[in-house]
Amino acid sequence: MQTATPEATSALRGIETALARALTELPALSPLLEAFGPLLAEQARLRQAAPGWTGPAIAVDPDRFTQGAFVLAHTQVGGGFEDMSAQLPAAARALLPVMAKSFPALAKEFSALGKAIKSGALSPQDLAATGFGEMRPVVPGVSAETLAFAAAELVRPFVERQAQDLLALVRELPWRQTCCPVCGGAPNMSALRRVNEDDAFIQAHGGRRFLRCSCCATEWTHKRVSCPGCGCEEPDELVVLRDPARQHERADACKRCKSFILCLDTGELADTPDPDIAALTMLPLAIQAKEQGFTPLAEHPWSNL
């Protein structure tokens, strides 16, 4: 029997701790937190059990990489994560009941989807393709929107686990792009963190900025004062939206390209919350940014619910 690694146990505990704190601090967001908290926890368990990257080793050309060719662009098959369809039926048996409980209005659809997967009416291969947005099969009793949402959440733990292995190939190489160094995805979250280094300027100004991929959750460093959408560095064009009561949360927006990205400033926090739970608590900031005419660089799973 496979046991959880200390890292996986810590990640799950981090989700549970951050969720409990958020529910206490932000009762108005409890419906959203109570819906997505259990989903994130179950996905963490699936990610722990996932096989990771099992195929041929990817030969990353350092020169191509530093010029902007992300890791999966180096694969011979044209750049994509490994097929995880064989794992999806078991993942569906674990995840769909959690989703049905979290989203009771969609429970009948999740049940119908589970039956279609079990009977073979929806093949694991088609389910995986749907999770990547490559096709939209018709499943009786399941709307296209519910199917797309469920499929994306089913493949997510396997994508994130593979990305962990792939990031190790380039961890020591420089990456100056605004897209993900592993899969080329756009970021939907950022964080400011103090790191152990000798750069006094960086330490004095709150640490380094990290972007987080909306597809595979990979994190990478990026310029602190710069729009990840268009590269604008003009202070007059960059806007920071904040709730005065929660100074560690912000939305970094750009007047030039009208984009924004959520940001968690961890510099003064005793405990850093799980990034997904942190993004959930920043929903009011995301709404505020949208109301002011800004568009997210990439959506979160709950953005359209």
Side-chain angles (χ1 to χ4, degrees):
M1 181 177 67
Q2 187 174 17
T3 58
T5 65
E7 293 80 4
T9 301
S10 176
L12 183 57
R13 187 181 301 116
I15 291 172
E16 294 170 343
T17 300
L19 179 62
R21 182 183 298 120
L23 285 168
T24 300
E25 296 176 351
L26 300 165
L29 292 181
S30 59
L32 183 71
L33 293 165
E34 290 171 349
F36 276 93
L39 172 59
L40 292 170
E42 188 60 37
Q43 286 176 321
R45 296 184 183 94
L46 289 172
R47 184 169 58 246
Q48 152 63 20
W53 186 268
T54 60
I58 299 176
V60 176
D61 182 330
D63 291 333
R64 283 189 62 210
F65 178 80
T66 55
Q67 291 172 11
F70 52 89
V71 174
L72 288 178
H74 291 73
T75 61
Q76 295 180 352
V77 295
F81 287 100
E82 284 187 320
D83 178 24
M84 71 283 294
S85 58
Q87 284 80 41
L88 293 184
R93 290 194 295 272
L95 203 58
L96 289 179
V98 175
M99 297 176 76
K101 186 175 180 180
S102 293
F103 308 98
L106 302 176
K108 290 184 178 179
E109 293 186 71
F110 291 133
S111 177
L113 176 58
K115 291 177 181 178
I117 296 170
K118 183 177 180 179
S119 69
L122 177 63
S123 72
Q125 293 77 18
D126 287 351
L127 181 61
T130 304
F132 286 103
E134 297 172 1
M135 65 180 301
R136 289 289 182 91
V138 175
V139 178
V142 183
S143 70
E145 293 78 12
T146 299
L147 176 58
F149 169 63
E153 296 312 298
L154 283 169
V155 304
R156 190 179 305 279
F158 302 96
V159 163
E160 292 179 354
R161 179 62 188 86
Q162 289 184 30
Q164 292 174 1
D165 291 345
L166 298 178
L167 181 61
L169 301 175
V170 294
R171 196 179 298 277
E172 303 303 321
L173 296 177
W175 181 258
R176 298 181 178 87
Q177 314 302 318
T178 57
C179 64
C180 174
V182 170
C183 71
N188 64 359
M189 181 71 176
S190 62
L192 300 176
R193 297 198 190 101
R194 296 188 184 277
V195 293
N196 295 323
E197 59 185 357
D198 297 328
D199 193 318
F201 178 84
I202 290 177
Q203 295 289 21
H205 289 77
R208 288 196 177 276
R209 183 190 196 187
F210 293 81
L211 301 181
R212 189 170 192 258
C213 180
S214 58
C215 175
C216 69
T218 293
E219 293 189 348
W220 68 100
T221 58
H222 189 258
K223 291 180 180 179
R224 182 184 172 100
V225 184
S226 174
C227 170
C230 67
C232 176
E233 298 181 11
E234 297 296 328
D236 292 343
E237 298 289 328
L238 302 177
V239 180
V240 176
L241 305 177
R242 271 196 174 100
D243 177 349
R246 298 180 66 81
Q247 286 290 316
H248 60 287
E249 297 176 348
R250 55 194 254 190
D252 293 336
C254 176
K255 294 180 182 178
R256 182 173 295 178
C257 69
K258 304 300 290 183
S259 70
F260 79 90
I261 187 170
L262 298 176
C263 180
L264 178 69
D265 188 345
T266 69
E268 303 302 323
L269 296 179
D271 298 304
T272 301
D274 174 83
D276 287 314
I277 299 296
L280 280 168
T281 66
M282 285 189 269
L283 177 62
L285 280 175
I287 293 174
Q288 181 184 349
K290 290 181 178 181
E291 288 176 343
Q292 294 188 23
F294 298 105
T295 302
L297 285 173
E299 297 281 12
H300 289 273
W302 51 85
S303 298
N304 295 320
L305 292 181

